[in-house]
Amino acid sequence: MEDEFYDILFPPYTGHVRIGDFYYDLYIDRDTLEGTAEVVRDPMASDDKTNYPDLTIARIPASVTYRDEEFIVTTIGSMAFADCSNLRVVELPDTITCIEEMAFFRCERLTSIVLPDSVTRVGKSAFLYCELASLHIPDSVTEIGERAFDDSLIPAYNAHIFANMPHSLIGEYSIPEGIKTITAGAFSHRKITSIMLPASIVTIRDEAFGGCNGLVSVTCKASIPPALGDDAFLWVDKSIPLYVPAESIGLYKSAPQWNEFQNIKAIISIH
């Protein structure tokens, strides 16, 4: 009986509430009584083109009030602003921790985004089909989903994760030292001819270099072969030279997928 009364006073979930310019899902933690809010898609949208159709500037508040209760806005929900074709400016508060998958999918006029230092996760395809010319991903982000920034016009990465190389890239590229993870599809079908992976690299996810059939060499400075996701080098010519630290040649020759390269050589010089 006590739990039922508690839920009447403080319902743990209230969905699709319009507060100000946006709709929210509202949550109350039963232990702390702290309220959090997730920005969600317009439930009145009948198709992709009617989701907040007149929205040009999205200024997300740090908190909202509903029935005299304060809710901290922590999440941009899945597809919350998908297909907002007129959206040009997004301002996120430093309470946001998560941007869910496809949150800003196909916001074709959105060309700049600054993620606050509070963000820890960016979901799959979050900014797919957004031609971002200006982008800041803070080092607080520890997870970036596949194709989250696939159409950005500049490289998308922070100190630890490399998420996307622009489709316009042609030629050689060196991934910055300190990067530990390359996300799924980050270089997929890019027209690169040579790639240098830093000594810090630990993980290369699914099809990260899939379809890079113009590669003529790969250099990996990591002494321990990075773990590779499924088909990390799909359709890459395995007869091209793979340059690795001299003392690690044996490890690469026995490591899954790395051992498919037929011409593993010692790095002669760092270039």
Side-chain angles (χ1 to χ4, degrees):
M1 179 67 70
E2 182 178 346
D3 285 345
E4 292 177 2
F5 181 68
Y6 185 96
D7 283 344
I8 292 173
L9 286 177
F10 305 103
Y13 167 76
T14 303
H16 298 108
V17 177
R18 181 75 183 245
I19 305 173
D21 294 330
F22 311 115
Y23 285 89
Y24 299 87
D25 285 350
L26 306 176
Y27 303 86
I28 290 183
D29 187 293
R30 289 192 52 169
D31 295 324
T32 65
L33 297 187
E34 293 180 350
T36 57
E38 175 179 334
V39 184
V40 297
R41 186 177 178 83
D42 183 349
M44 301 295 107
S46 59
D47 56 44
D48 290 344
K49 301 304 180 184
T50 58
N51 184 36
Y52 301 117
D54 300 320
L55 185 66
T56 59
I57 301 175
R59 292 188 175 97
I60 309 301
S63 65
V64 293
T65 301
Y66 180 69
R67 293 181 179 175
D68 297 324
E69 294 289 335
E70 183 182 34
F71 296 82
I72 305 301
V73 181
T74 61
T75 304
I76 307 298
S78 176
M79 299 190 73
F81 295 101
D83 292 296
C84 287
S85 58
N86 293 311
L87 182 61
R88 297 175 183 272
V89 176
V90 173
E91 297 178 3
L92 301 173
D94 60 7
T95 56
I96 297 292
T97 60
C98 180
I99 299 174
E100 296 286 4
E101 64 179 47
M102 300 179 73
F104 295 94
F105 176 83
R106 207 155 49 200
C107 291
E108 296 169 345
R109 288 182 171 84
L110 183 63
T111 60
S112 176
I113 189 72
V114 175
L115 304 183
D117 291 342
S118 53
V119 175
T120 60
R121 189 172 79 85
V122 180
K124 178 179 179 180
S125 303
F127 292 90
L128 183 62
Y129 299 122
C130 298
E131 295 187 349
L132 298 172
S134 177
L135 168 65
H136 172 68
I137 305 173
D139 295 343
S140 58
V141 175
T142 58
E143 181 182 349
I144 299 177
E146 179 180 0
R147 302 190 72 189
F149 299 98
D150 194 62
D151 292 284
S152 65
L153 302 180
I154 58 174
Y157 63 93
N158 63 10
H160 316 292
I161 306 173
F162 195 100
N164 182 68
M165 177 52 61
H167 290 266
S168 60
L169 174 73
I170 298 175
E172 301 178 355
Y173 189 76
S174 295
I175 293 177
E177 194 61 55
I179 297 293
K180 295 181 178 180
T181 300
I182 300 173
T183 64
F187 285 82
S188 180
H189 296 279
R190 304 311 195 262
K191 297 177 181 179
I192 53 175
T193 58
S194 177
I195 187 72
M196 179 174 285
L197 306 172
S200 56
I201 196 71
V202 174
T203 303
I204 301 174
R205 301 204 184 280
D206 298 358
E207 297 190 34
F209 294 95
C212 293
N213 51 20
L215 277 171
V216 297
S217 71
V218 175
T219 300
C220 187
K221 295 160 62 178
S223 58
I224 298 176
L228 300 182
D230 292 345
D231 297 321
F233 289 93
L234 182 67
W235 296 323
V236 171
D237 182 1
K238 301 306 190 297
S239 68
I240 66 174
L242 167 62
Y243 296 100
V244 303
E247 67 276 13
S248 302
I249 289 177
L251 294 176
Y252 279 85
K253 286 185 174 181
S254 61
Q257 292 190 69
W258 291 110
N259 59 11
E260 296 176 9
F261 285 90
Q262 304 155 23
N263 191 13
I264 302 178
K265 300 181 177 183
I267 298 173
I268 299 174
S269 62
I270 304 302
H271 54 277

